[in-house]
Amino acid sequence: MTSLMGAVRAGQTAEVIGLLNAMTDAERRAFFPELKELRKELRATRWDTPSRRAYPALYVAGVACQTGAAGVASWISAADMRWPGVSPAVLLRVLADRETGWLADLADRLAQRPATARVPYELMSALVRLAGCPVPTTDAYVRGWAQQVGGEWRHGNTLVERLRTDPHLVPLVAALFEVNDIGGLLQWAADEGPGSWHGALGQLTTEGRLDRRATVDACVARLLRGGTTADHRAFLRVLTSLTLTHEEQRERVADWMALASDAVSPVASHAQSVLGSLALEGQLSHRRLAEVSGAVLFRPERKLVRAQLALLGKALSRDAAAADDLLPAVAQAFGHEDAGVQERAFKLAQRHVKKVRSAEVRAEIALAAEELIPPLRSQAVGSLGAAPVDAAAAYEEVLPLVPEPARLAPAAASVVELAEEVGAALESDTVVTGFERALDGLVRHAHRDRDALLQALEPVISRRWWDGTDQYYDLRLNHQFGDGRGSFDASGGLDLLLVTLRGKLETGTLRASCRARTPARTCVHTALSQAFDARLWEVAYRMRMDPLPFLLSTPTWSTGLLEPDELVERLDAYRRLGARVSEADFAQALLRVRRADRPAAAAAAERAAALGTAEGRRLARWLTAGAPVLPAIRRRTSASRILAESGELLELQDDFPDAFRALGDPSSAFAESRYCHHWDYSTRPHWLAVLPELRELVAVRLLRDLSSLAVDDTRGTASVLPPLAESGGEAGEATHLCVAYGLGARHPEDRLAAVDALLVLAARGQLDVSRLGADLGELVRDGAVKPLRLTESLRTAAATGAYATVWGLLGHALPPLLSGLAADKPDGPVRGLGDLLAVAAECAERSGARGDLPHLARAADRGGTSRLVAQARRLRGALAPDAAAA
């Protein structure tokens, strides 16, 4: 007879079961150590044919040969046992002879496993039946039950019929309301009637099979707890299917108030309708209505706010005595971000203010009226008693303080401190300051005492992925660093120096990597990454062969700028030490040295020439050559995108190493290879630090990436926009286009980064509103930027107090969008144009802008009461208040 282990290895599951049935418990336990060893063996080659053949038999044998429920549960749910291809029925054959208490324990342990363990529900439910134990109500069990019972529609009966015969209906339905993110499962069944979850639960509650009060309470509590959109949708449908009575609604007033205030829009709308019915029936006090109204009126959803104002209007019309309680709540909408909401609230207050009896309430309403937009504020002076507007008060733009660059602290004085800094830098997205300090510190201490440095770095190096002794790690290391292909991010650059210190790269590899060569596949980022990488490779090579005393190119400031006096002092120190200058390090120092300050540059040039060294003379020529001059930037279009490309910059071609000359090459808008591997967005600020006085050359090469934020809905690239705005040099065509795409990004965090960049440029006096506004108008018109996203960005910027800046942008962005409107009918109006006009109107009103906007009159004279027309009229009135009054 074939031995058990032989049958397991051969994958003969049926024979394994037969052998196990003939064994005693002791004999089975004796085989388990061998099964564990086989499992370890198969893990190493789990995808080859012998392993796949053996796993099902191993799975069954391991279950049968253990006597502890905990061990069996761990075996069944183990990750490497997840795909053995064994049905639950097979496992039950080897488990059926166990005691009921043991089976109940196993069922409970399996049910306690997370749903991601994918324990078959059929196995758990069968164990519950065999043990006759209470049904588990864990996340995994309830999900499995819901999926099982909801997916048996092929049997021909409805979901309500299947649930009606379920012996564990009550506890499982109760647990259903406690499981997170289960709404998607509840939507699988038919949408309506007894085939849907909400229809089935409603019918079973009506029949009395489910306790009505418990079900209603559980449903309301589930909505109060929140969750995913699918959860809200599913449990709201369950709640509405129960058709609550007036008494049931009155019992839960506090719950409806909480939902109306904080729940997602569909749930809040339902709670609002329930409260509205109770209020109009006299079942909700004025004070409670005012309390919930105060919360709802601060919500951004215009539909909810308008509905609440309508409810308050009905309540005020029915009972004059309600004015003292309800009008202060109405007045809270005077500060709403939407001018249409403000106007509704103002008209409602105007209509009912005479009913107010308390002088304190009148004063409160008058004070709140100061939050109204200027046209309504002027009307509120007479009707609501608001304080007159000071016509002599000039508008004052509020912009953030101009960000000051941070000065780099000196490199760590001790190797212990340096090791801590390097370890922290490797564990996070290192900014320019942290990376440059760590880099300079490694160079300095490697020159002073290499052995002491290595000893201090040992805890850091031992945690790096490449420090294993296995051949696998050597292969990965050679793939990462062996061919010198780059491209490094900050942590990768530090890793290169650590690998060199550890002696894991051959000297020949380091020497070859220092020789500049154009990669076989280039993209628009290659020039920047190649320059960034070249310094790292050369520093690593010198660290091995001729350690540098320190780096010449370590910047003075966080933007990457290097003060010319500091560079002269470093060159003087090199001269005194007799140290040989690193070609790439010196080239990077030249690109970083500040030349825009002409007097400081001229003074430093004299000191540099006096050094009498070749590098000193080269620095003197560079400093006296004049401030950096940009090459020509030309716009190009690609479908709906506007891109840019730069011409040649000869200044970066002469007397620079080969790896840096590509920075002065022309940059094409269509040269980006589809094989581009520069996916790490954290590297972008370091590229800015390569050319800290020529940000346009960096922006040109980042423009396609940033355009994808708006066009392709990518995420994360906009993190480079604030550093771009804080960088040096002219903010030209490419920089403004980068910000424009960021303002139209799909994701809120990217739009916020673009708003930060916009405000920084404005605060520094570098924002060209006509250029950026025209770009935004063109991008919206061509479909590259969606108006609603742009509206959110500009509303956020305006809310900081930059109303004049935002109006300046929209004053140039709106004309091309309005020009497509005919006088009598729409000729392809841009969707969301009304929202942009609303932001423009608010900015014009608050900043006191005046003048004529091309094509605005045509939009304002259109018929109807659409948001576009209403906001066009509002903007026209703000720009020409005298004409509007006439």
Side-chain angles (χ1 to χ4, degrees):
M1 182 176 65
T2 307
S3 68
L4 178 64
M5 295 306 299
V8 169
R9 287 184 177 275
Q12 298 170 343
T13 306
E15 188 165 351
V16 166
I17 295 175
L19 291 171
L20 290 169
N21 288 336
M23 294 179 184
T24 64
D25 287 344
E27 290 173 332
R28 293 181 182 180
R29 285 196 300 271
F31 272 104
F32 187 65
E34 293 185 61
L35 295 173
K36 288 174 63 177
E37 289 302 316
L38 178 58
R39 180 183 179 185
K40 290 180 182 179
E41 177 185 329
L42 296 183
R43 278 176 179 166
T45 57
R46 61 181 305 184
W47 303 117
D48 64 10
T49 301
S51 294
R52 291 200 304 270
R53 182 172 58 244
Y55 256 113
L58 174 64
Y59 186 53
V60 173
V63 169
C65 292
Q66 298 183 75
T67 55
V72 173
S74 297
W75 188 276
I76 290 174
S77 59
D80 59 329
M81 295 292 183
R82 193 164 294 165
W83 308 105
V86 177
S87 70
V90 174
L91 294 182
L92 291 170
R93 286 178 58 188
V94 299
L95 293 173
D97 59 343
R98 306 291 178 102
E99 295 180 356
T100 57
W102 190 95
L103 293 174
D105 187 17
L106 177 60
D108 183 67
R109 291 178 182 275
L110 291 174
Q112 294 292 341
R113 298 283 170 169
T116 52
R118 301 181 186 177
V119 177
Y121 167 75
E122 295 85 351
L123 174 62
M124 293 187 288
S125 60
L127 290 170
V128 170
R129 287 194 303 272
L130 289 174
C133 61
V135 64
T137 55
T138 63
D139 183 277
Y141 195 93
V142 174
R143 286 180 185 277
W145 171 74
Q147 189 169 359
Q148 179 79 7
V149 73
E152 291 181 342
W153 54 269
R154 297 180 184 85
H155 296 171
N157 53 356
T158 63
L159 177 60
V160 70
E161 291 170 338
R162 297 194 293 274
L163 291 173
R164 192 180 286 131
T165 60
D166 194 312
H168 304 295
L169 173 67
V170 174
L172 288 175
V173 168
L176 195 67
F177 291 97
E178 300 297 328
V179 176
N180 291 325
D181 196 18
I182 201 170
L185 284 177
L186 304 187
Q187 301 294 323
W188 282 4
D191 288 337
E192 300 296 338
S196 66
W197 273 100
H198 64 274
L201 294 178
Q203 185 171 334
L204 292 172
T205 303
T206 302
E207 295 174 2
R209 294 178 182 272
L210 295 174
D211 181 76
R212 181 175 180 83
R213 185 176 187 85
T215 305
V216 174
D217 287 343
C219 198
V220 173
R222 186 66 183 80
L223 293 173
L224 284 169
R225 197 174 78 208
T228 64
T229 302
D231 284 353
H232 284 115
R233 186 183 301 116
F235 290 110
L236 178 60
R237 296 183 77 178
V238 173
L239 181 63
T240 54
S241 71
L242 297 175
T243 317
L244 271 59
T245 65
H246 288 305
E247 182 62 31
E248 290 173 325
Q249 291 175 343
R250 281 195 299 270
E251 291 175 354
R252 297 170 175 82
V253 167
D255 294 333
W256 306 131
M257 292 176 66
L259 291 172
S261 302
D262 300 320
V264 296
S265 291
V267 177
S269 179
H270 175 76
Q272 183 186 49
S273 66
V274 172
L275 290 171
S277 299
L278 293 174
L280 296 179
E281 293 172 2
Q283 303 296 322
L284 190 67
S285 69
H286 295 153
R287 287 188 179 277
R288 302 201 81 172
L289 178 58
E291 181 183 347
V292 70
S293 296
V296 174
L297 293 176
F298 269 109
R299 295 185 64 121
E301 301 96 328
R302 291 194 296 266
K303 182 179 179 180
L304 285 176
V305 175
R306 288 196 296 264
Q308 195 67 24
L309 288 174
L311 173 61
L312 289 170
K314 292 178 181 178
L316 286 165
S317 299
R318 290 188 175 205
D319 187 356
D324 285 67
D325 289 324
L326 299 185
L327 275 185
V330 172
Q332 292 187 51
F334 291 170
H336 197 276
E337 64 181 24
D338 184 74
V341 169
Q342 289 191 25
E343 185 174 6
R344 285 172 180 261
F346 172 63
K347 290 181 178 179
L348 183 59
Q350 268 188 321
R351 190 159 57 247
H352 296 283
V353 71
K354 293 181 181 178
K355 300 175 183 178
V356 175
R357 291 169 293 181
S358 169
E360 292 181 357
V361 172
R362 286 181 177 271
E364 182 181 349
I365 295 171
L367 182 63
E370 295 181 6
E371 298 294 323
L372 291 166
I373 59 176
L376 299 178
R377 170 81 183 276
S378 61
Q379 297 178 47
V381 173
S383 58
L384 301 182
V389 180
D390 185 3
Y395 168 75
E396 185 175 350
E397 183 85 340
V398 179
L399 292 172
L401 296 175
V402 176
E404 295 292 337
R407 191 179 189 98
L408 265 70
S414 69
V415 289
V416 175
E417 182 184 353
L418 174 63
E420 292 176 353
E421 290 185 5
V422 171
L426 290 169
E427 295 299 325
S428 61
D429 289 336
T430 312
V431 296
V432 171
T433 52
F435 169 71
E436 292 291 346
R437 285 189 73 240
L439 191 69
D440 189 39
L442 288 171
V443 170
R444 288 175 183 269
H445 286 285
H447 180 266
R448 293 174 190 168
D449 191 338
R450 180 192 187 93
D451 294 336
L453 175 60
L454 266 174
Q455 183 178 356
L457 287 170
E458 183 61 34
V460 176
I461 292 177
S462 62
R463 295 196 300 268
R464 302 309 293 164
W465 61 265
W466 44 261
D467 196 46
T469 57
D470 199 330
Q471 184 180 9
Y472 166 76
Y473 297 104
D474 292 336
L475 290 173
R476 280 194 62 191
L477 189 146
N478 285 325
H479 175 74
Q480 182 81 7
F481 299 110
D483 58 1
R485 64 192 174 97
S487 165
F488 290 124
D489 57 8
S491 62
L494 295 177
D495 265 331
L496 173 62
L497 267 63
L498 297 180
V499 167
T500 303
L501 284 169
R502 192 61 137 181
K504 282 183 168 286
L505 279 182
E506 296 179 358
T507 303
T509 299
L510 293 171
R511 183 188 301 110
S513 298
C514 292
R515 299 169 185 165
R517 59 185 184 277
T518 303
R521 293 170 176 168
T522 62
C523 67
V524 73
H525 311 108
T526 299
L528 294 166
S529 66
Q530 188 171 267
F532 181 76
D533 295 347
R535 180 175 64 133
L536 294 171
W537 280 113
E538 193 164 293
V539 167
Y541 175 68
R542 289 291 300 273
M543 187 176 283
R544 172 70 56 80
M545 302 302 298
D546 181 16
L548 298 167
F550 54 83
L551 292 178
L552 295 172
S553 58
T554 302
T556 307
W557 305 102
S558 56
T559 58
L561 276 175
L562 171 59
E563 291 298 334
D565 283 342
E566 287 194 32
L567 181 53
V568 173
E569 291 172 2
R570 293 173 187 175
L571 285 174
D572 189 26
Y574 262 64
R575 179 185 61 80
R576 287 185 277 104
L577 292 170
R580 183 168 59 89
V581 171
S582 165
E583 186 179 45
D585 183 38
F586 182 54
Q588 178 62 88
L590 290 178
L591 293 176
R592 283 178 170 170
V593 72
R594 185 196 296 272
R595 294 193 292 163
D597 185 347
R598 299 309 305 146
E606 292 183 10
R607 292 182 56 205
L611 294 177
T613 62
E615 290 79 18
R617 291 188 292 273
R618 174 74 177 96
L619 175 58
R621 291 196 304 273
W622 180 256
L623 291 173
T624 55
V629 179
L630 281 175
I633 304 291
R634 185 175 61 158
R635 293 163 70 98
R636 299 290 299 274
T637 58
S638 175
S640 62
R641 302 176 202 246
I642 303 173
L643 301 175
E645 55 189 21
S646 62
E648 187 177 33
L649 186 58
L650 293 176
E651 184 181 42
L652 299 185
Q653 303 269 317
D654 300 332
D655 295 331
F656 273 95
D658 291 342
F660 288 81
R661 289 177 183 171
L663 294 169
D665 289 344
S667 171
S668 170
F670 306 103
E672 183 172 359
S673 167
R674 61 193 179 101
Y675 298 104
C676 174
H677 57 276
H678 301 96
W679 306 303
D680 188 350
Y681 300 143
S682 67
T683 313
R684 272 53 173 171
H686 297 276
W687 291 348
L688 282 166
V690 171
L691 295 169
E693 282 193 323
L694 289 169
R695 65 173 150 200
E696 275 290 284
L697 290 187
V698 182
V700 163
R701 292 172 166 87
L702 297 181
L703 187 53
R704 180 174 284 276
D705 296 340
L706 287 156
S707 71
S708 295
L709 292 168
V711 179
D712 302 322
D713 293 349
T714 58
R715 184 181 225 141
T717 324
S719 59
V720 76
L721 288 175
L724 180 67
E726 295 175 23
S727 191
E730 179 184 342
E733 190 91 35
T735 299
H736 281 74
L737 278 171
C738 286
V739 175
Y741 284 117
L743 293 173
R746 163 68 177 83
H747 299 283
E749 64 271 23
D750 290 320
R751 295 199 296 269
L752 284 175
V755 169
D756 286 344
L758 170 71
L759 296 175
V760 168
L761 288 175
R764 298 182 70 186
Q766 297 173 337
L767 180 66
D768 186 337
V769 293
S770 61
R771 168 182 279 166
L772 180 55
D775 287 341
L776 289 170
E778 187 173 350
L779 291 171
V780 171
R781 184 191 61 197
D782 294 343
V785 167
K786 292 180 172 56
L788 292 179
R789 297 177 186 174
L790 178 60
T791 298
E792 289 300 315
S793 295
L794 295 183
R795 183 180 286 125
T796 301
T800 66
Y803 293 103
T805 298
V806 175
W807 163 247
L809 295 176
L810 287 171
H812 292 87
L814 286 172
L817 305 179
L818 294 170
S819 64
L821 299 176
D824 54 348
K825 62 180 180 179
D827 183 19
V830 175
R831 182 176 177 269
L833 181 55
D835 295 286
L836 273 177
L837 286 168
V839 176
E842 181 178 6
C843 291
E845 290 163 352
R846 293 188 182 275
S847 64
R850 299 290 183 268
D852 180 45
L853 189 69
H855 312 295
L856 178 62
R858 175 180 296 177
D861 291 337
R862 289 157 58 90
T865 58
S866 67
R867 182 167 177 77
L868 187 153
V869 172
Q871 296 303 322
R873 292 170 182 169
R874 176 188 167 196
L875 177 56
R876 181 172 62 178
L879 295 176
D882 297 335

